[in-house]
Amino acid sequence: MNFKNAKIPNMPGRGAGTLAKVAVVGGAVVYAAVNSLYNVDGGHRAIVFNRIQGIKEEVYPEGTHFMIPWFERPVIYDVRARPHLVESTSGSRDLQMVKIGLRVLTRPLPERLPTIYRTLGENYNERVLPSIIHETLKAVVAQYNASQLITQRETVSREIRKILTERARNFNLALDDVSITSLSFGKEFTHAIEAKQVAAQEAERAKFIVEKAEQDKKSAVIRAQGEAKSAELIGAAIANNPAFLALRQIEAAREIAHTIAQSANKVFLDSNELLLNLQDISAQAKKNAKK
């Protein structure tokens, strides 16, 4: 038999195997393309964990970056300042219990993110801030009396910030702001403050009463001196000029007549009574003048 011109039919198994290989390669390419890129959003930084080398020292900024799928994975940190509210109860120097609330703005140092991940992990705030804040508050509050915590609040806040900044730097954290949000005392101290304020108000009121009495006394002395001087001047005027007394009597008669005229009651007086015997006054004044 002659097999030179014989045609060998295509085996369907070989085509299916090729197609399977193409599918596997294509799937691997798609997987690599999808998982080899990652994005770092604004306000964030990334570090990369390699299954062979561990944490790389390089810190990746915002943008899109390349990594080896499966062998590497990104760890992304938010490096923006975030507020944390902490309340602590501490004892003051005069043994008063003080409840103080503190608001702290913290952020990780971007260049120290690999060290932060190795030592603290991703939830570094929960591991570090409560302990150092409570310890700092107790240490600072114990240096002041309860009244000084109120009157020197800004000084206390600055000292707390100074100590917290130094403590947080040891953990590669930065503090942007520290402020006291609340400050409250025990019931006994609150009642003592209220009683002190009431006593101070009573003392001020008593002081005012004493000063008012002194001013009234001075006013009475001045008034008496003025009346004595006035009486002295009137006596001298009468002695030197007898007509002065007649002039005062005429002025008094005029006022009485005006008052009676404005009254709603009807009063009938003759001319002598209405003028209060002015003719006799005039005659007496002339007689005194001749003398």
Side-chain angles (χ1 to χ4, degrees):
M1 296 182 62
N2 188 6
F3 295 98
K4 293 182 177 180
N5 296 326
K7 295 181 178 180
I8 300 175
N10 294 329
M11 298 300 292
R14 294 178 60 188
T18 303
L19 182 62
K21 292 179 180 179
V22 171
V24 170
V25 173
V29 171
V30 172
Y31 174 82
V34 172
N35 293 277
S36 62
L37 299 176
Y38 65 94
N39 294 324
V40 180
D41 297 331
H44 294 70
R45 295 292 185 274
I47 57 176
V48 174
F49 173 79
N50 187 284
R51 292 181 181 272
I52 299 175
Q53 301 177 0
I55 292 292
K56 294 183 176 181
E57 294 298 329
E58 184 179 0
V59 178
Y60 297 88
E62 303 164 359
T64 301
H65 303 278
F66 175 80
M67 67 176 180
I68 302 175
W70 190 80
F71 283 97
E72 295 180 342
R73 62 179 176 85
V75 179
I76 298 176
Y77 279 88
D78 186 351
V79 296
R80 296 171 294 185
R82 290 185 292 175
H84 299 274
L85 299 176
V86 179
E87 288 189 350
S88 176
T89 302
S90 306
S92 62
R93 190 170 64 180
D94 54 353
L95 304 180
Q96 297 293 335
M97 297 307 297
V98 182
K99 186 177 182 181
I100 184 171
L102 202 67
R103 180 179 181 270
V104 182
L105 286 178
T106 62
R107 57 182 177 83
L109 297 176
E111 65 277 8
R112 303 296 297 170
L113 287 178
T115 303
I116 293 176
Y117 184 80
R118 291 190 186 100
T119 56
L120 300 175
E122 297 183 54
N123 57 340
Y124 55 90
N125 280 331
E126 288 73 14
R127 294 187 177 185
V128 174
L129 289 181
S131 60
I132 65 175
I133 290 177
H134 284 295
E135 182 180 354
T136 302
L137 287 178
K138 293 181 183 299
V140 174
V141 170
Q143 301 176 11
Y144 294 88
N145 293 330
S147 58
Q148 292 176 331
L149 293 175
I150 300 175
T151 58
Q152 303 179 22
R153 183 166 180 165
E154 186 63 26
T155 303
V156 175
S157 179
R158 284 199 302 268
E159 188 169 352
I160 292 174
R161 178 173 182 173
K162 178 183 177 181
I163 298 176
L164 275 181
T165 302
E166 295 175 356
R167 293 293 308 276
R169 192 180 296 116
N170 297 331
F171 297 95
N172 303 305
L173 302 178
L175 266 67
D176 292 337
D177 182 64
V178 176
S179 59
I180 298 175
T181 58
S182 62
L183 190 64
S184 59
F185 303 91
K187 294 181 179 180
E188 295 79 6
F189 184 75
T190 303
H191 294 330
I193 291 179
E194 293 176 354
K196 184 177 180 180
Q197 291 177 344
V198 171
Q201 293 175 356
E202 292 293 339
E204 289 295 330
R205 186 178 295 109
K207 181 179 178 181
F208 171 76
I209 294 174
V210 171
E211 292 179 353
K212 184 175 181 298
E214 291 291 338
Q215 294 297 328
D216 291 342
K217 180 180 178 180
K218 293 180 181 179
S219 177
V221 171
I222 294 173
R223 189 183 303 110
Q225 292 175 350
E227 292 176 353
K229 187 65 176 179
S230 176
E232 182 181 352
L233 294 175
I234 292 174
I238 294 174
N240 297 330
N241 188 5
F244 177 78
L245 182 59
L247 178 61
R248 286 299 181 93
Q249 291 177 342
I250 292 173
E251 292 176 353
R254 183 189 301 168
E255 293 179 1
I256 294 173
H258 179 73
T259 302
I260 293 175
Q262 296 296 328
S263 177
N265 299 326
K266 303 299 180 181
V267 179
F268 297 94
L269 300 172
D270 56 14
S271 59
N272 291 332
E273 293 177 346
L274 180 60
L275 296 177
L276 298 176
N277 300 322
L278 290 182
Q279 294 178 352
D280 296 339
I281 296 173
S282 299
Q284 183 67 26
K286 291 179 181 179
K287 184 177 179 181
N288 293 335
K290 289 180 181 180
K291 292 181 180 179

